[in-house]
Amino acid sequence: MENKNIHPTIQRYNERKLSAEHNVSVSKLSAAELREMCLELGADDVGFVDISNPALASQKADILKVFPWTKTLISFVGRMNKGNLRSPARTISSIELQHVEKRVNQVAHTMAATLDRKGVRAAAPSAGFPMETDNWPGKMQVVSHKPIAEAAGLGKMGLHRNLIHPVFGSFVLLNTVLIDAEVDEYSTPLDYSPCINCKLCSVACPTGAIGADGNFNSINCLTHTYRELLGGFSDWVENIADSKNAIDYRSKVSDTDTVSRWQSLAYGPCYKSVYCIAVCPAGDDVISEFLDDKKKFMETVVKPLQQKTENVYVLPGSDAESHVLSKFPHKKVVLVGNGVRPPSVAAFINSMASAFQRNKSEGLSATYHFTFRGNEQEKATVIIKDKTIKVERGHSGIPDLQIDADAATWLRVLHKETPVVKQIILRKIRVKGPLKLFRAFDKCFA
């Protein structure tokens, strides 16, 4: 006998469930239909990746932690206007980035909403910001779009560490929609890299962060490009806090930098450089103007960015500082902090490879053993040789220098809250071996 006290919503659910049990359900969604939907909503290319794809092994845990029901990732790109990105006026390139980021976010939002109304659970993370800032300075993005796009066949990362689409080149922004369903056909990665190894991104980068040999210094890139975001913003706030008055503040921060900061706060982030994208000639729709007249391409695309008179924000003593003085003497070196402070000894160990200034290590060949005690107990081996760094957990090999430190004290030194010499005298930090190797190690990290 039917219970008339059952809530109407529950009654309708039971009726739908009963009806569904009498129909043959479709176990997989159509990739072709999903692709058409995504393109109609404004995406420029689309690919599909199974969450169990080995190419996502490094990303899977992070994704499932937030979206445990994920079965398929829909990766797509939004194409950017080359003319805007190539303008020496940073505001023109920044507004293009802002517009296209809004577009790919809207595509993801509408697609997820459409699928949800069809009974398919879906989520649309941000293409860029906002991110999970609680994790700063570690991984803040919930979904890393680049490796997903690579697995979806939408391109390969080039020398500049940006995705290069086979047709649109570097002039794309990425986003991803996650769904609780399988599709009937998954994409395959490209079997070649669209990067033509021209190295123009390397010669155009004002900080020298992109090495022609494939090395990439993310800290030097972040310090300049993201000067008005992330740690650069923290550094600005600290300059305000440290200033005695307006005159003291102006001695630390120029009027133009203050106004630029206001502009980013009021109208969206302005990036100090995306030259690596601007000069990239890769991609079927981009490469003709480079191959047809390389000299003209250099004169009209590359040199205006190289010759631009501008501030370049660098860490004191960094490879970036030396690079600007050597390669771009007409650009102004501005020495800044970048707000990147390891919150733990473990984070310090993990960040060393990214913060390493390889040109400052020239001539150094040494093995360092670190032992941390106190609230964090960690051991690490650092080998610096031939302008490279290798960091391992635990102790290995014969050390040239041993550093035994109280973990909390070591972090205070890194955060510039106390002098290292004082802590060595107090025996909070103990150094066994030539002090010149200790000083050489410090020099390798701006």
Side-chain angles (χ1 to χ4, degrees), residues 38 77 111 226 234 288 296 355:
C38 201
V77 304
M111 187 170 194
Y226 290 80
S234 299
S288 59
K296 182 179 179 182

Side-chain angles (χ1 to χ4, degrees), residues 277-351:
I277 296 175
V279 302
C280 181
D284 293 354
D285 283 0
V286 186
I287 201 166
S288 59
E289 55 189 314
F290 173 70
L291 294 181
D292 290 346
D293 195 335
K294 293 182 181 180
K295 182 178 179 181
K296 182 179 179 182
F297 190 90
M298 291 294 297
E299 292 292 333
T300 60
V301 176
V302 181
K303 286 187 177 180
L305 300 176
Q306 291 178 312
Q307 295 170 353
K308 178 180 171 65
T309 301
E310 62 184 329
N311 291 342
V312 182
Y313 300 87
V314 302
L315 297 171
S318 65
D319 288 345
E321 180 183 6
S322 303
H323 182 81
V324 180
L325 293 172
S326 172
K327 301 295 184 181
F328 302 110
H330 57 286
K331 298 182 188 287
K332 181 181 178 182
V333 168
V334 181
L335 302 178
V336 298
N338 63 8
V340 179
R341 290 182 289 271
S344 65
V345 162
F348 160 70
I349 295 170
N350 291 334
S351 68

Side-chain angles (χ1 to χ4, degrees), residues 101 105 125-133 136 140 226 229-230 269 271:
E101 184 172 311
N105 275 332
S126 172
F129 295 103
M131 298 184 188
E132 298 297 305
T133 54
W136 169 262
M140 300 192 300
Y226 290 80
L229 296 81
L230 301 175
Y271 300 89

